[in-house]
Structure formats: structure tokens, C-alpha cells
Amino acid sequence: MPTADAPTFYFDLGSPYAYLAAERLPALLGEEVRWQPISLGGLFKANGRSSWALAGPASRAQGIAEVERRAREHGLPAVRWPDPWPSNYLFAMRVATFARAAGEGVRFAHQAFRDAFQRGHDLALPKQVLASAARARLDPAAARAATDDPRIKQSLRAATEAAHARGVIGVPTLALGGELLFGDDRLDQAAGAPRRRPSNS
């Protein structure tokens, strides 16, 4: 069970790089990591950034090739891209927030990531998200109802705002002590880093 000062993994289910990081986290850092769902769309809006996948055909092709290369290097199944991708993952991230509150956040995140990037399921579709929830042993009806719950909406919004205030600019980001490690390629650095408590200053 993660402690209050454990590393925090910020993720959005629409991010293939977050998927790559999620697949490696357990082996590199064990179960001490706190998985925190945030809305990447909300974060982009707050910091004035956008996805590399929307920066033009060249940027998109380069990013897709890089994700597929890293998946091969990590020994993961070939990436199957949802069509369309990227899309709107607000519903999915509300279900991820519900799953976290229910104590099944990591299980659901793994299932949803794999459904998206190993099976090509479009997590912009509520039926696909709820199918992932069912496979993660969550009640789909409860998950669906939670997406309209003001408490779940506020929880996701507050987590996104807190991440932005902390300096998170995208996902995946691992907060390790007072340091923010942005990107799948920073995980190995995180695995070898000494554990430091956040500064109170």
C-alpha cells in the first residue's frame, strides 16, 4: 500500500507513452507508487500546450513510430492504435477516478491501457470504457453512474489542477520527492534514484 510520501504516477488513459510507463512501473518501482488519474486535456488547457499527435503529420508519424519502437524494446505486444486517436477521454478518466476511489485504480488503469493500445479499443466510447471496467471487476453500472457524480467530476478536476500547480506539464509524469520526471524514458532514472521526502519549503 503506497504511503503518503510515495512516488506519484500521473497518467491519462489516452496517452500511449503513459501506457508504456504503466507497463514498466510495477517491475521498476513495485507497489509503492500512487497512481493519480488526471485529465490531460484539462492540463493542456491550463498550460497552453497540445498533443504531439495534433502537431501535424510529421510529428504524428514520428511519435507513433517512437511509441511502437519502445513497445518492441520493452517486450510488449505490438501497438494497435484506436481509430480515431487521440480523442476525448473525459468519460474514461472519470471512470479511472471512480476506480481509484473504489480501491481498484491500478487494476482498471492496466486493463484500460491494454484494451486501448494492445487491442485498439477506442476509450472515447463509453461502452468500451465500461467493458474495460467490467474486465477489471468493477460494476459497469456503478462506473457509469459515477461519471455523472459531482464528487467524481470535482475529484478529477481538483487532481488535474493540483498536478498543474505542482508543475506537471504532461503525462506520464512521476513525482519523486521534489522532482518531476516527465516521460516514459525517465523511469529507469526513477528506479535508481534515492527516495526523498518532499520539501516543506
Side-chain angles (χ1 to χ4, degrees):
M1 185 74 177
T3 59
D5 63 332
T8 299
F9 174 58
Y10 294 98
F11 70 94
D12 182 296
L13 293 170
S15 167
Y17 283 107
Y19 154 67
L20 295 176
E23 287 294 315
R24 299 203 297 144
L25 265 182
L28 291 175
L29 294 176
E31 297 181 356
E32 65 183 82
V33 179
R34 296 173 61 247
W35 289 50
Q36 179 60 64
I38 60 174
S39 169
L40 185 57
L43 190 65
F44 280 158
K45 184 176 180 180
N47 61 31
R49 298 178 71 244
S50 184
S51 170
W52 54 266
L54 301 176
S59 173
R60 180 182 174 85
Q62 181 179 5
I64 285 175
E66 177 67 9
V67 169
E68 293 175 350
R69 180 186 68 80
R70 291 190 190 186
R72 290 192 298 271
E73 290 182 351
H74 298 333
L76 297 173
V79 176
R80 291 184 60 186
W81 295 92
D83 183 17
W85 178 85
S87 192
N88 187 330
Y89 304 105
L90 182 59
F91 183 94
M93 296 316 297
R94 286 176 179 169
V95 174
T97 302
F98 162 75
R100 185 176 189 268
E104 298 292 351
V106 176
R107 184 193 303 276
F108 171 73
H110 275 307
Q111 183 67 57
F113 270 135
R114 290 167 184 169
D115 286 342
F117 296 109
Q118 293 182 13
R119 301 175 182 90
H121 296 178
D122 182 4
L123 296 186
L125 301 176
K127 67 177 182 180
Q128 296 286 15
V129 179
L130 298 179
S132 295
R135 283 188 282 270
R137 292 185 277 183
L138 289 166
D139 178 357
R144 175 65 184 87
T147 63
D148 291 324
D149 187 332
R151 294 168 298 179
I152 292 296
K153 293 180 180 180
Q154 177 56 29
S155 180
L156 177 60
R157 187 179 305 115
T160 304
E161 292 172 351
H164 177 251
R166 191 172 188 175
V168 175
I169 62 171
V171 298
T173 291
L174 190 70
L176 189 66
E179 189 173 10
L180 295 176
L181 304 177
F182 172 43
D184 165 67
D185 55 345
R186 304 291 298 280
L187 284 191
D188 293 307
Q189 177 183 344
R195 300 292 181 263
R196 298 191 298 270
R197 292 181 178 273
S199 170
N200 292 325
S201 60

